[in-house]
Amino acid sequence: MRHIISVLMENEPGALSRVVGLFSQRNYNIDSLTVAPTEDQSLSRLTLTTSGDDARIEQITKHLNKIIDVVKLVDLTEGAHIERELMLIKVKAVGAQRAEVKRSVDIFRGSVVDLTANVFTIQLTGTGDKLDAFIAALGDNVVLEVARTGVSGISRGEKTLAL
Amino acid sequence: MDQLSGGEMLTRALHDEGVEIIFGYPGGAVLHIYDAIFHQDKVEHILVRHEQAATHAADGYARATGKPGVVLVTSGPGATNAITGIATAYMDSIPMIVISGQVESRMIGTDGFQETDMVGISRPVVKHSFMVQEAKDIPCIVKKAFHIATTGRPGPVVIDIPKDATDPKVKQTYEYPNEMKLRSYAVPTKGHSGQIKKAVDALLTAKRPMIYTGGGVIQGNGSEQLIELTRKLGFPITNTLMGLGAYPASDKQFLGMLGMHGTYEANMAMHYCDVLLCIGARFDDRVTNSDTSKFCPDATILHVDIDPASISKTVTADVPIVGSVAPVIEEMIDQIGKSDKKVDEQALEVWWNQIEQWREKDCLRVNPSAEGIIMPQDAVKAVFEITKGEAYVSSDVGQHQMFAAQYYGFDKPRRWINSGGLGTMGFGFPAAMGVQFAYPEATSVCITGEGSFLMNQQEFATCMQYQLPIKIICLNNEALGMVKQWQDMQYGGRHSHSTYSESLPDFTKLAEAYGHVGIKIEKADELYPKLEEAFAMKDKLVFVDVLVDPNEHVYPMAIKGGAMKDMVLSKTERT
C-alpha cells in the first residue's frame, strides 16, 4: 500500500542524504520526494511516498526515527489528510488542438501559464491521481515535457506536525 | 578562558570527555592535530601500522572496557582504510569516535590530494557523523559525538575536520559544554511497565520456556541482572555469539551458544520452546537460519531491545519491550516477585528432563585425532585450562572463531572480543592490542587462523613499539578453513582458492623478525607444555603456530533453509 510520510528534520547539510541513503541501503523504494525549509529556519520538512506492507512501513518509520537529524515524523496516510502535487506540463497546441487542450485544462482546473504559437505550458495542482488522469486525458502524442514536484501533504483538522 | 587552536581544542575536548588513549596514524590533513597532541600529555596516542588496525584496536578497547574507543586518521586513504573497522563496530553496536582529517574547506569538492568524502562514504556504517565547519564548533561537536556514540544503541560516530579548522595560528576561546541538548535524539531507558507485565505473565505460564540473549546484555551492562532473573526463574538460557559471557558458561542452566554453530541442546530447546524471552539480541540470520517462518514455531516471543527498529525486523515479537536491558530486567524481577502467578515447576521439570536428554548427545565431544595430530578444539580447550578461563580472548573470523566460542567457556562479560556481525577477518590481533592497552596486567589472547592473521600482521611492529605481551594462538590448518568446510559440504569438495599451504610464511620466524617470540606446535603431546611455556612469558608477545588437523569441520552446523532443530552433527550424522 502507498504511504505518505512527512518528516521534520534538522536543516543541516547531510540530513537529506541520510534519509535518502537509508532507503537505498535497506532496499526501500521512494516513489516521490519533496523537501524545503519550514517557517522555522532550523527545520526542513521532507515528504516522501513509498509503498509496502504494514511490517515494511513500520520498519521504514522506525529507521527514519533512528536518524539523528530526524526530529519528528508522521505517516499521513494513517489518518485523514490532504495531499497535493504541482505539475508544470508542456503540451503541443496547434490549430484546433489549442481549444481542445484549453478545455481539458479548464475541466481539471489547471491554468495555462505560458504559451507560444505551438506550445502551452500548463500548471496543475492536485493529488497524484488527478495529475496522472490529466496526462492520460491529453494523450501521449501531445505531451512534450512534464515537471512534477512530488507529493506534499498535511493532516486534516487540528493535528499538526510541529515541535 | 583559554585561547586554543582547533587542534588544541580537539585534544582538550577529548581529555575533558575522559579519553585516555587514542589509536591513530598521521598524515597531511591531521598534522595540526598531531602537533597539538605533541604539546600535551593528557591523552596518549598509539601509533598503529594501518588505519584499519587503529579502528579494531579502539574497538577491542571499547568492548573490553565499555568506554568508547577513539580513532584519529588522516583524510583520503586514511579515512577509507578506517571504513572496515567502522563497519565492524557499527554491526556490533560498539561505541567509537573516529576523527578524520579532511582537506581544507576551500578545497573540498575539487578532488584535492587525499580528498575523499568521508561523511558520505561512512554514512551507511555510522550512527551519526559530523563535518566541522569552524574551529569554534569543535568542543560542542565532540560532546555531541560522545553522547550519541555511547547512549541508546551504541555505535560509531565520525567527526570529519577540514585542515583549516585546526590551524594553529587561529586561536579561539575554549569552553567545554557541560551538557547539550539534541532535540531529535531521545534515549529510551525504562521499558513500558504494562508490556513488562505481559511478558512476566507469559514467562510464568510457560511450560517450555527459553531465554535467548545477545550482545545487548553486554553493551547494556545487564549481566548481573540477567543472572539474577535466570536463576530466579530456573529457566534454560542460551547466548548468541555476541552475547557469550553475559551468563556464566559454567552454570548448569546455560545450554551453550545457539545458532549456526550452536549446541544441539540450545538449538533444540529454541525450536521446541513455548515462550521465548529474547533480550538484547536481534534474530540475526546466523541464529534463526534463513527461513524465519520455521523459527520457533510454537513460541510466544517476548523481545527486549533498546532499538525499536530491531523489534519485529526479521521475527515478529508478540510482546515488544523497548528499553535498556538492565532496568527492564530489574523491573521484570520486581514484577515476578509481586505476581500472583508462579513458575510451573512441574512443567519445568519435564522440560529440563527433555533438555538433559538432548545434552546427553554431547554434541561438542571431540573425535580423537589420528596419531599425533592436533585437533583445533583441543588447542582451544588447552588455552582455556592454562588461562583458567580468565583471559580476554579476541578472535578473527572462521573456524577458529567458532571453536573459540564453543570451547572457551566465558564466565564473565566483555572477555570475548569478536566481530560477530560484520565477520571481519583481521579483527582479532589489533583488537587484542586494544584490550592489552586497556588492561596491561591482564592476559590478552588472540585465537586466530593463519588466513585471518595475515590480514593485519603488520601490527607486530606496534606490539614491539609498545611492548604488548599478547599471546597469539594461531590454529594453522593451512587453508581458509570455513570456506573450505563449505566447499566440502556444498561444492563437492572443490577447494576453489581456499588453500595456499605452499606459500605460507614461517610464522615463528616472522614473529622473531619483529623481535617477538615464535613457538611452533606440531604434535599433540607438545600442546600443553609448549602452550604453558608461551603463557609463562608474561612480558613477551608470543606467536604460537599450532598446526591442526586440516580436515576438521565445525559442528554442529545448521542446515540451510531448515529450522533450528535441523543440524549436521558430524561428517556422518544429521538430526
Side-chain angles (χ1 to χ4, degrees):
Chain A
M1 200 190 126
R2 175 173 170 272
H3 287 254
I4 305 170
I5 299 172
S6 264
V7 179
L8 275 187
M9 59 185 195
E10 299 289 351
N11 188 6
E12 301 233 353
L16 177 61
S17 76
R18 283 184 231 278
V19 171
V20 175
L22 167 71
F23 278 74
S24 61
Q25 180 183 350
R26 295 199 180 262
N27 206 16
Y28 306 141
N29 64 313
I30 299 182
D31 296 325
S32 76
L33 177 76
T34 156
V35 57
T38 63
E39 80 288 0
D40 176 347
Q41 282 301 310
S42 71
L43 288 172
S44 289
R45 180 171 177 135
L46 176 151
T47 302
L48 59 85
T49 54
T50 184
S51 52
D53 59 18
D54 289 351
R56 197 172 178 83
I57 298 300
E58 187 182 321
Q59 278 293 309
I60 290 175
T61 54
K62 282 173 168 180
H63 280 291
L64 281 170
N65 265 316
K66 265 178 81 172
I67 295 175
I68 309 286
D69 290 326
V70 169
V71 184
K72 225 173 176 184
L73 65 82
V74 62
D75 180 352
L76 290 171
T77 25
E78 275 184 351
H81 65 280
I82 298 155
E83 67 166 280
R84 289 290 180 271
E85 188 175 355
L86 184 138
M87 172 168 71
L88 294 170
I89 179 168
K90 256 180 202 177
V91 300
K92 218 186 304 176
V94 189
Q97 255 181 339
R98 293 176 82 89
E100 178 72 18
V101 169
K102 184 68 177 72
R103 252 199 311 278
S104 301
V105 171
D106 291 342
I107 290 168
F108 279 83
R109 292 184 214 168
S111 50
V112 177
V113 291
D114 187 33
L115 57 80
T116 68
N118 301 314
V119 171
F120 278 175
T121 302
I122 300 152
Q123 173 185 307
L124 188 63
T125 313
T127 63
D129 283 352
K130 177 181 164 184
L131 306 192
D132 291 343
F134 181 66
I135 294 171
L138 292 173
D140 283 346
N141 51 351
V142 185
V143 177
L144 300 171
E145 183 182 349
V146 174
R148 295 170 69 154
T149 58
V151 174
S152 186
I154 201 160
S155 55
R156 282 195 182 274
E158 294 183 9
K159 226 169 95 184
T160 57
L161 176 64
L163 289 192
Chain B
M1 294 292 166
D2 291 336
Q3 295 293 309
L4 303 180
S5 71
E8 290 164 339
M9 283 193 187
L10 179 66
T11 52
R12 179 74 74 85
L14 291 176
H15 175 62
D16 284 343
E17 199 53 52
V19 175
E20 292 166 357
I21 190 167
I22 63 175
F23 302 87
Y25 204 101
V30 285
L31 280 173
H32 295 330
I33 300 173
Y34 271 85
D35 201 48
I37 290 172
F38 187 85
H39 283 104
Q40 56 86 52
D41 59 2
K42 301 286 202 302
V43 179
E44 187 187 6
H45 176 274
I46 304 302
L47 176 68
V48 295
R49 296 300 185 272
H50 189 291
E51 289 88 350
Q52 185 190 349
T55 55
H56 293 331
D59 186 324
Y61 176 90
R63 289 180 204 238
T65 61
K67 294 190 276 190
V70 183
V71 177
L72 173 59
V73 295
T74 193
S75 63
T80 57
N81 278 346
I83 292 293
T84 301
I86 297 171
T88 304
Y90 180 72
M91 288 293 273
D92 290 343
S93 309
I94 304 303
M96 183 187 284
I97 305 290
V98 178
I99 299 151
S100 55
Q102 183 54 275
V103 298
E104 288 181 29
S105 347
R106 65 182 178 84
M107 296 288 290
I108 291 176
T110 65
D111 300 322
F113 176 64
Q114 293 196 329
E115 180 186 356
T116 195
D117 173 12
M118 181 55 166
V119 167
I121 204 167
S122 64
R123 189 195 44 70
V125 293
V126 294
K127 186 169 173 187
H128 195 56
S129 47
F130 294 93
M131 164 73 99
V132 171
Q133 307 286 343
E134 293 177 82
K136 68 172 175 53
D137 299 336
I138 289 175
C140 189
I141 286 177
V142 169
K143 180 83 183 173
K144 284 182 185 170
F146 275 83
H147 177 63
I148 292 168
T150 56
T151 54
R153 181 177 180 178
V157 175
V158 162
I159 306 174
D160 201 34
I161 310 182
K163 189 169 184 181
D164 48 309
T166 55
D167 187 344
K169 293 194 290 291
V170 183
K171 307 255 182 187
Q172 293 180 69
T173 306
Y174 172 86
E175 193 178 0
Y176 198 64
N178 286 323
E179 54 182 85
M180 46 72 236
K181 269 177 70 184
L182 282 165
R183 61 181 171 185
S184 59
Y185 178 71
V187 181
T189 49
K190 278 168 55 96
H192 187 280
S193 295
Q195 289 295 96
I196 294 174
K197 181 169 191 312
K198 279 189 208 164
V200 165
D201 285 348
L203 288 170
L204 294 179
T205 47
K207 306 284 181 205
R208 301 184 309 280
M210 183 69 180
I211 302 173
Y212 141 57
T213 76
V217 177
I218 291 174
Q219 295 305 322
N221 298 315
S223 180
E224 273 177 44
Q225 290 85 346
L226 176 67
I227 293 168
E228 189 186 339
L229 174 74
T230 308
R231 293 202 173 137
K232 193 180 182 80
L233 291 167
F235 291 176
I237 179 168
T238 179
N239 290 161
T240 66
L241 178 69
M242 291 309 301
L244 293 174
Y247 192 85
S250 57
D251 190 273
K252 61 182 188 315
Q253 281 170 253
F254 186 63
L255 305 191
M257 180 172 75
L258 82 165
M260 179 170 268
H261 294 294
T263 64
Y264 178 71
E265 53 269 34
N267 286 344
M268 293 299 275
M270 286 290 290
H271 184 80
Y272 289 104
C273 72
D274 69 344
V275 173
L276 179 66
L277 172 60
C278 168
I279 307 175
R282 56 188 176 89
F283 297 90
D284 171 76
D285 57 275
R286 297 290 133 146
V287 163
T288 61
N289 209 338
S290 46
D291 184 356
T292 51
S293 68
K294 295 176 185 166
F295 177 76
C296 297
D298 305 329
T300 300
I301 291 171
L302 324 173
H303 190 181
V304 182
D305 205 292
I306 198 160
D307 177 9
S310 278
I311 291 174
S312 299
K313 182 173 68 181
T314 59
V315 170
T316 305
D318 297 295
V319 182
I321 301 171
V322 177
S324 185
V325 294
V328 169
I329 301 175
E330 276 163 19
E331 189 171 346
M332 272 186 178
I333 294 168
D334 190 50
Q335 286 203 23
I336 289 167
K338 290 176 185 157
S339 175
D340 48 7
K341 297 191 179 72
K342 290 280 168 280
V343 173
D344 186 340
E345 297 291 348
Q346 257 184 328
L348 192 59
E349 195 184 330
V350 174
W351 179 227
W352 268 113
N353 287 339
Q354 172 63 69
I355 291 169
E356 291 306 331
Q357 280 180 30
W358 290 326
R359 257 183 179 161
E360 277 167 23
K361 195 144 207 124
D362 194 11
C363 68
L364 293 181
R365 97 189 151 272
V366 184
N367 290 324
S369 61
E371 188 62 36
I373 293 180
I374 302 167
M375 299 306 283
Q377 299 94 326
D378 288 333
V380 175
K381 283 185 185 175
V383 172
F384 174 79
E385 283 169 28
I386 290 166
T387 59
K388 302 184 175 66
E390 291 285 328
Y392 287 83
V393 179
S394 71
S395 89
D396 278 294
V397 171
Q399 285 185 321
H400 70 269
Q401 176 191 27
M402 293 301 123
F403 290 136
Q406 291 174 328
Y407 294 91
Y408 197 105
F410 293 92
D411 277 353
K412 290 178 188 158
R414 300 197 178 281
R415 296 294 169 112
W416 167 235
I417 314 281
N418 91 121
S419 166
L422 195 68
T424 308
M425 289 173 72
F427 170 82
F429 183 24
M433 299 188 334
V435 171
Q436 195 77 79
F437 278 114
Y439 301 116
E441 302 304 319
T443 307
S444 177
V445 181
C446 172
I447 296 180
T448 185
E450 80 294 333
S452 287
F453 185 77
L454 287 174
M455 285 203 182
N456 264 321
Q457 54 170 316
Q458 77 285 342
E459 296 309 311
F460 265 148
T462 311
C463 290
M464 178 44 67
Q465 183 173 351
Y466 296 96
Q467 293 291 306
L468 301 179
I470 296 167
K471 303 294 176 278
I472 300 161
I473 312 299
C474 179
L475 306 184
N476 186 346
N477 59 359
E478 303 190 330
L480 300 174
M482 192 58 93
V483 171
K484 193 164 152 249
Q485 173 170 345
W486 282 56
Q487 289 170 337
D488 284 339
M489 295 173 81
Q490 293 174 25
Y491 296 88
R494 294 181 297 280
H495 297 156
S496 180
H497 298 270
S498 57
T499 59
Y500 40 46
S501 59
E502 67 291 341
S503 56
L504 281 171
D506 181 333
F507 283 104
T508 55
K509 281 191 187 153
L510 187 65
E512 285 162 7
Y514 283 93
H516 302 304
V517 178
I519 294 178
K520 195 170 195 165
I521 308 181
E522 295 176 86
K523 295 199 180 67
D525 57 3
E526 301 169 342
L527 189 59
Y528 275 83
K530 288 204 172 176
L531 279 175
E532 274 165 358
E533 184 191 335
F535 281 100
M537 284 184 257
K538 296 282 182 212
D539 55 351
K540 294 238 187 266
L541 182 151
V542 185
F543 186 100
V544 188
D545 188 19
V546 189
L547 296 189
V548 297
D549 184 347
N551 299 315
E552 183 60 341
H553 286 176
V554 181
Y555 296 114
M557 181 167 173
I559 294 171
K560 195 172 163 53
M564 288 201 77
K565 67 178 172 50
D566 303 318
M567 287 164 269
V568 185
L569 296 172
S570 73
K571 283 183 183 169
T572 53
E573 192 188 0
R574 293 177 162 231
T575 53

